[in-house]
Amino acid sequence: MQGQTYVAVPQDRHAASGGQQDVTHRHFQGTPDDGAKALSNLESPPDSLYAAREPVFPRRVKGNFRTLKWWIMAVTLGIYYVTPWLRWDRGPNLPDQAVLVDMAGRRFFFFMIEIWPHEFYFVAGLLIMAGLGLFLFTSALGRVWCGYACPQTVWTDLFILVERWIEGDRNARIRLHRQTWDMEKLRKRAVKWTVWFLIGLATGGAWIFYFTDAPTLLGQLLTFSAPPVAYITMFILTMTTFWFGGFAREQICIYACPWPRIQAAMLDEESITVAYRDWRGEPRGKLKHGEPLAEGQGDCIDCMACVNVCPMGIDIRNGQQLACITCALCIDACDDVMDKIGKPRGLIGYLALTDEALERAGNPPKSVWAHVFRVRTVLYTVLWATVGIALVVALFLRTEIDVNVTPVRNPTFVTLSDGSIRNAYDFRLLNKHGEDRDFYISVSSDAAMRVSLEGTAELRVTVPANQTKTQRVYLTAEPGSPAASDERTDVTFWVEDRVSNERVLHRTIFNGLDREEPEQKDD
């Protein structure tokens, strides 16, 4: 029996740079020697399975999606760079920075909202909402987050914009890349890298401004009196921004980011994503100026415009690929070409797999709303809204007084000389106000008991502004009373702020004598 040999032949130059690779498996009938001879006739394989990255030089394009990306880039970068400088008056003894992660004070300020460490569930809720929102948008519109709002995409767009201003559009940048090092190349590269570095410096600086008062820290940075951790953090963020946005670019999306792998579980046949209508574009053929399309030729004239504008350097006509971030720039480029040759737009566009089957059969596709509003996306929306509503309700129901009561367990109770039974409790009182406050402590129970505070004859605790104070509180039951005789008695402590007239309660128990234990007598 003759052997069978399969030879894999790469078909795409982008495979060498880490992108998607189409592989044709050529099947040869014959002996292994015949297969070896066939392989020797092909192009010799490289010495290594790994090849250096081939830079991607996307061409400038105009269109609706490119305009949308410009607006999103401007808004997101504006929010990031400007937010630390916004002021918000919170009164005396509190920072006036609108958004501040106060590590020293262990608080997070967001305009009128103040989050304390024990309220971290708000941050956890926001992270859950972010995850559900990502699932929702991906299941409805594919990798729309990656293509428009991901920080890697936004900063890469900015770096490419700077590169285009300094070195020119695609063809000029390719020529400069292949050009030997001379004064022109050195000058342009030096200017470009300097601007990139300044953008990275502004990015790293803006990040550390979120963790302390921005104007104060800026003055310290300029006078070289800032803490060393500030310089170290800013340097690390500067260099990562410089490298990721300037050099790594699409490599981060392909290799470092886990989302391209996760998104496969989020997409289904109803998800809208960028795709090429090959039933309309094939067979491809070149179009000479002034001549009509050849008989039987598809609308695709193989102009490579969709490839040249792609920031990932892929060919959308090869189908869905891991590297595609659905930025839709190929749609703008293809629509522009279709306008020039007098063909209808939409050769490349947003569509779902179900639309593909309908359009191949000559039927109109479903409406966008039919794709967006379905069981899966509605479920994500309900979950997302439920978490959001719960956070808002919790935010408005929380009090300005925070108290934690811990019964002292060793011993659980003490018998005084007059026979009274006394329990001790540790109160942890948090004052969230910007001024000192007096908190008054009282108790309510079905049994008669009296409350007292360690170190003072009053029932008042003064807690400094924005601080926590621990106070030992005693609860005493008279000898022979039900509370002293029963094993356990339910009690409720009340803490009152008479300035704001706000009260909070904490329910606990009072431990009395256990009747099953033998009576203890004093000597």
Side-chain angles (χ1 to χ4, degrees):
M1 180 182 295
Q2 290 183 331
Q4 295 182 353
T5 303
Y6 294 86
V7 181
V9 183
Q11 298 292 312
D12 190 353
R13 58 133 186 114
H14 186 63
S17 61
Q20 299 300 301
Q21 175 176 319
D22 292 339
V23 177
T24 299
H25 294 274
R26 297 184 181 176
H27 176 220
F28 297 92
Q29 293 287 346
T31 65
D33 292 338
D34 295 334
K37 293 178 181 179
L39 180 61
S40 64
N41 292 330
L42 300 174
E43 182 180 356
S44 299
D47 296 333
S48 173
L49 295 177
Y50 302 94
R53 169 181 176 263
E54 183 179 348
V56 178
F57 300 98
R59 180 175 63 82
R60 182 184 180 185
V61 63
K62 293 182 180 180
N64 295 331
F65 294 106
R66 177 65 268 184
T67 301
L68 177 61
K69 284 174 63 67
W70 286 137
W71 278 106
I72 293 177
M73 184 184 75
V75 171
T76 52
L77 290 178
I79 292 174
Y80 176 76
Y81 289 120
V82 174
T83 298
W85 302 96
L86 300 179
R87 303 291 101 183
W88 190 268
D89 186 12
R90 299 186 179 91
N93 303 320
L94 286 174
D96 63 349
Q97 187 163 310
V99 180
L100 176 65
V101 182
D102 185 6
M103 302 297 289
R106 298 185 301 172
R107 285 168 294 176
F108 171 63
F109 297 97
F110 185 81
F111 294 93
M112 76 291 294
I113 300 174
E114 183 178 349
I115 304 297
W116 292 76
H118 66 282
E119 297 173 327
F120 188 79
Y121 56 85
F122 284 109
V123 178
L126 291 176
L127 293 176
I128 293 174
M129 289 186 66
L132 290 174
L134 196 56
F135 294 164
L136 170 62
F137 282 105
T138 301
S139 61
L141 300 172
R143 293 178 63 186
V144 64
W145 161 261
C146 300
Y148 294 90
C150 174
Q152 175 66 18
T153 297
V154 171
W155 264 276
T156 297
D157 269 358
L158 179 60
F159 276 50
I160 292 176
L161 178 63
V162 171
E163 184 176 74
R164 186 180 296 119
W165 280 345
I166 297 173
E167 298 182 353
D169 206 359
R170 170 182 166 82
N171 292 336
R173 300 205 304 277
I174 292 176
R175 287 195 300 269
L176 186 67
H177 173 69
R178 297 173 178 173
Q179 181 177 323
T180 58
W181 282 93
D182 54 13
M183 290 304 299
E184 178 190 10
K185 186 172 182 177
L186 181 62
R187 174 179 57 82
K188 289 184 177 180
R189 289 294 169 88
V191 173
K192 180 181 70 173
W193 291 343
T194 300
V195 178
W196 282 358
F197 181 81
L198 293 177
I199 294 174
L201 187 65
T203 303
W207 177 258
I208 63 175
F209 289 153
Y210 282 92
F211 293 85
T212 188
D213 184 67
T216 302
L217 180 58
L218 178 62
Q220 294 175 345
L221 291 173
L222 295 177
T223 57
F224 300 100
S225 59
V229 66
Y231 292 104
I232 295 173
T233 303
M234 188 167 63
F235 175 76
I236 293 174
L237 293 177
T238 297
M239 297 313 298
T240 52
T241 304
F242 177 80
W243 181 258
F244 289 172
F247 298 96
R249 292 185 180 175
E250 77 282 353
Q251 304 292 291
I252 298 296
C253 303
I254 297 174
Y255 298 112
C257 181
W259 186 240
R261 284 85 182 167
I262 299 174
Q263 68 153 349
M266 300 292 105
L267 298 175
D268 56 31
E269 65 275 5
E270 296 290 343
S271 300
I272 302 176
T273 187
V274 176
Y276 166 66
R277 291 178 168 89
D278 61 328
W279 57 92
R280 174 186 152 187
E282 301 297 328
R284 309 173 196 172
K286 294 296 183 179
L287 177 64
K288 296 182 179 180
H289 181 70
E291 295 183 3
L293 292 176
E295 184 70 22
Q297 180 180 333
D299 289 350
C300 180
I301 61 173
D302 206 17
C303 62
M304 301 297 291
C306 56
V307 179
N308 293 337
V309 302
C310 179
M312 305 299 292
I314 65 173
D315 190 341
I316 193 62
R317 297 172 298 178
N318 292 336
Q320 286 299 307
Q321 301 161 61
L322 178 145
C324 179
I325 60 174
T326 66
C327 62
L329 296 183
C330 54
I331 298 178
D332 286 337
C334 187
D335 285 347
D336 182 60
V337 174
M338 293 297 105
D339 291 341
K340 292 179 180 178
I341 66 174
K343 290 292 182 177
R345 292 186 166 202
L347 181 59
I348 300 176
Y350 275 104
L351 73 154
L353 290 178
T354 53
D355 292 334
E356 178 182 357
L358 291 173
E359 292 190 17
R360 282 184 182 273
N363 300 318
K366 295 181 181 179
S367 67
V368 174
W369 301 114
H371 291 297
V372 172
F373 293 104
R374 59 187 194 276
V375 175
R376 186 174 186 175
T377 56
V378 170
L379 177 60
Y380 284 140
T381 304
V382 170
L383 292 175
W384 183 86
T386 300
V387 176
I389 293 173
L391 290 178
V392 172
V393 171
L395 184 64
F396 282 97
L397 290 182
R398 67 175 185 167
T399 64
E400 293 297 325
I401 303 175
D402 189 83
V403 57
N404 183 33
V405 180
T406 305
V408 176
R409 301 298 184 185
N410 189 21
T412 56
F413 65 87
V414 174
T415 304
L416 302 181
S417 58
D418 62 352
S420 300
I421 303 299
R422 188 181 73 180
N423 285 199
Y425 305 85
D426 286 331
F427 275 57
R428 185 179 175 88
L429 300 168
L430 173 61
N431 179 13
K432 298 180 181 180
H433 299 278
E435 58 186 6
D436 297 351
R437 287 293 177 94
D438 292 333
F439 294 151
Y440 293 83
I441 300 176
S442 59
V443 66
S444 63
S445 176
D446 294 337
M449 285 177 282
R450 66 177 184 272
V451 62
S452 59
L453 274 61
E454 186 177 70
T456 177
E458 299 181 351
L459 299 179
R460 179 184 65 186
V461 181
T462 302
V463 182
N466 302 304
Q467 293 186 26
T468 301
K469 184 174 182 178
T470 301
Q471 175 67 49
R472 176 66 60 88
V473 178
Y474 297 110
L475 199 58
T476 307
E478 297 296 333
S481 65
S485 303
D486 293 342
E487 181 179 0
R488 290 187 176 185
T489 303
D490 293 331
V491 297
T492 301
F493 282 106
W494 292 88
V495 179
E496 181 182 4
D497 180 3
R498 296 181 179 176
V499 176
S500 62
N501 293 322
E502 189 172 14
R503 299 178 69 196
V504 296
L505 61 86
H506 186 94
R507 293 185 175 89
T508 185
I509 61 171
F510 181 88
N511 295 297
L513 291 171
D514 189 348
R515 293 181 179 181
E516 296 181 358
E517 295 180 357
E519 183 179 357
Q520 297 181 357
K521 296 182 179 180
D522 296 336
D523 294 336

